[in-house]
Amino acid sequence: SGGKDSTVVADVVERALSTKRVLHIFGDTTLEFPMTMEYVERYKKNNPQTPVISAKNKDKNFEELCQLLGPPSRVMRWCCTIFKTGAINRHIDKMFRNKLHIVAFQGIRRSESASRSKYEKKSENSKIAKQVTIAPIIDWLDFDVWLYLITTGIDFNTAYRYGYARVGCWCCPNNSDWSQFMVRSLYTAFS
């Protein structure tokens, strides 16, 4: 996602497996902050041995779907399924069509939300059919993530330096009022 948790998981997994050749799939929803896109490009440049691909839904248009379905809300958040997990799922199906299962590492943490507090460290009931999900930092707090980033010196998304707590889609209905204020302040094109 280009966020701090994904960044930490990428580093933890690469260190554990002793290789930089771990496939990274960036779910490009087309609604990312410009700083996130800059970070993904910087990550690719700084990690040339790491294969990074982007999964993007090229068939659907966010604005058109908003007209048809209404804007995403906390009650009906259709956007993730269509623009993130759906696009990633199609890539995985195409790339690994002969495999029954793949292992995916995700930067999901229980402390992020009430719904994520129920997630397991290992799950086979993922939104992505072939995927066995491992969440190595599931029990970490924000403090743990930041301590890891700072003590290892790993590059991370510049959006956090501006005060964002999370760097998902700029228009996510789960964004805080502070995030919405930051979007309007930094990106007049979004307001």
Side-chain angles (χ1 to χ4, degrees):
S1 69
K4 66 186 184 314
D5 300 334
S6 297
T7 297
V8 166
V9 166
D11 190 69
V12 166
V13 169
E14 288 172 352
R15 287 175 192 250
L17 298 177
S18 298
T19 181
K20 299 287 278 174
R21 302 212 42 83
V22 176
L23 175 64
H24 290 52
I25 302 176
F26 171 62
D28 182 355
T29 64
T30 70
L31 303 167
E32 317 302 333
F33 291 111
M35 287 179 271
T36 298
M37 299 309 291
E38 291 165 10
Y39 171 68
V40 170
E41 290 308 311
R42 203 167 61 240
Y43 186 90
K44 289 178 189 178
K45 182 181 171 200
N46 294 337
N47 298 279
Q49 294 178 334
T50 304
V52 179
I53 61 170
S54 290
K56 183 191 279 189
N57 186 334
K58 297 175 183 168
D59 302 328
K60 306 285 183 202
N61 178 284
F62 179 74
E63 286 82 15
E64 288 173 8
L65 285 176
C66 283
Q67 293 293 321
L68 183 67
L69 303 170
S73 68
R74 289 181 187 226
V75 176
M76 194 167 124
R77 213 177 72 194
W78 50 263
C79 45
C80 283
T81 303
I82 294 172
F83 291 101
K84 193 166 192 169
T85 55
I88 292 171
N89 201 10
R90 279 194 300 283
H91 261 71
I92 287 173
D93 280 344
K94 192 180 347 173
M95 292 172 64
F96 303 104
R97 73 173 54 103
N98 297 328
K99 303 280 184 195
L100 292 176
H101 296 288
I102 62 160
V103 175
F105 298 94
Q106 293 183 342
I108 291 177
R109 296 181 297 111
R110 289 186 179 119
S111 64
E112 291 179 284
S113 69
S115 63
R116 289 186 175 182
S117 70
K118 298 171 183 74
Y119 284 25
E120 296 297 323
K121 189 170 270 217
K122 177 187 175 210
S123 171
E124 294 185 31
N125 300 326
S126 172
K127 293 178 185 176
I128 299 175
K130 294 180 180 228
Q131 181 171 286
V132 174
T133 303
I134 307 293
I137 65 169
I138 192 124
D139 293 316
W140 289 27
L141 304 173
D142 267 358
F143 176 82
D144 301 309
V145 172
W146 284 114
L147 189 60
Y148 188 91
L149 287 168
I150 291 166
T151 58
T152 58
I154 297 169
D155 183 28
F156 55 87
N157 192 321
T158 310
Y160 294 111
R161 295 189 187 276
Y162 283 89
Y164 286 98
R166 56 188 308 271
V167 295
C169 299
W170 64 266
C171 59
C172 181
N174 287 331
N175 283 348
S176 66
D177 290 341
W178 173 255
S179 288
Q180 293 304 326
F181 168 77
M182 293 293 293
V183 166
R184 286 190 303 275
S185 299
L186 290 173
Y187 303 111
T188 54
F190 297 149
S191 55

